Amino acid sequence: MIKSPPRYACHSRFFVGILTTSIALLALSGCNSVTPSVNNQTIQQPNAAVTPAVQTVVGDYASDGYAKRAQGYDWVGVMIRADGADNGEQIDIKVRARGDVKKPTCHFDGKATLMGQDEAHGVIFQTKVNDSTAFFQFKDDALTIDSQDKYALNYFCSGGASFVGEYQKLEGDLALN
C-alpha cells in the first residue's frame, strides 16, 4: 500500500508559492516611483511652494501680431511657468516665434529670479543673458522684456530681431502654429 503525503503538505506548498510570488512582486515594484493620476491624466507634483508673485505671472504672453496670425502677421510668444527652485521665486521662460509659415525667428529658454515687486512697477524678474542683465516686468496683464544691453537679446533671434518689447497676457495657451 502506497502512503499518501499528509494533507497539510499540499497546502503549505501552495502558501509558499503565493508568498514567494508576492515577495518578488513587491521587490520589483518597490523601487519605482509612482506618479498619481486621475482619469488617466498625470497630476504634477509641485517641487516647492511657489510665491504669490510667481503665481500671478504664470501664463502665456504674445506680441501684437499674435491676434492677426491668421492673416500672416509675424508674432513672438512668451511662456512663463513656475520653476519651483530658489525658494519658489524662480520662473521658467520660453520665447517662441511663429513657426507655421516660415522658420521661427526667435528661440530662447531660460530661468529668471524674482527681483522685487511694488504697485508702481509690478513684479520684476531678472536673469543673466550674454553678460548682461535681462528684466521681465509684469504689470496689468502685460509683460515688458528689456535688458541693460539692448543687443544682448538679439542673439536669440534671426535677421537682427530681438525679443525686447511688450507682450499681452493671453486668456488661454499660446498656439505655436
Side-chain angles (χ1 to χ4, degrees), residues 7-172:
R7 201 174 171 133
Y8 65 85
C10 293
H11 293 296
S12 65
R13 276 188 250 148
F14 172 75
F15 287 118
V16 168
I18 294 284
L19 182 62
T20 305
T21 304
S22 298
I23 290 171
L25 288 174
L26 285 172
L28 289 173
S29 67
C31 295
N32 293 337
S33 59
V34 178
T35 303
S37 65
V38 175
N39 297 334
N40 295 327
Q41 294 180 350
T42 302
I43 299 171
Q44 293 294 333
Q45 297 294 326
N47 293 340
V50 178
T51 64
V54 170
Q55 290 175 357
T56 60
V57 303
V58 167
D60 292 348
Y61 299 77
S63 62
D64 289 338
Y66 184 78
K68 298 178 182 177
R69 65 189 182 279
Q71 290 85 24
Y73 283 72
D74 201 12
W75 56 268
V76 175
V78 183
M79 296 172 280
I80 305 293
R81 302 294 180 262
D83 183 82
D86 197 27
N87 297 324
E89 295 184 345
Q90 191 165 318
I91 56 173
D92 181 55
I93 303 163
K94 293 186 184 319
V95 176
R96 300 292 186 265
R98 148 174 247 149
D100 58 337
V101 176
K102 59 182 182 173
K103 181 180 174 189
T105 53
C106 293
H107 185 98
F108 171 81
D109 291 325
K111 296 181 185 307
T113 304
L114 180 63
M115 183 177 159
Q117 71 181 67
D118 61 32
E119 198 162 317
H121 301 97
V123 182
I124 301 176
F125 289 81
Q126 67 180 1
T127 191
K128 283 290 188 189
V129 179
N130 291 339
D131 297 325
S132 180
T133 302
F135 300 98
F136 299 83
Q137 179 183 12
F138 300 86
K139 187 171 188 225
D140 301 328
D141 287 335
L143 162 62
T144 303
I145 300 175
D146 203 357
S147 177
Q148 290 173 329
D149 175 5
K150 297 290 185 203
Y151 301 107
L153 301 179
N154 288 32
Y155 175 80
F156 304 97
C157 299
S158 62
S162 174
F163 61 89
V164 168
E166 292 197 19
Y167 303 85
Q168 294 301 310
K169 191 168 191 175
L170 302 174
E171 294 291 325

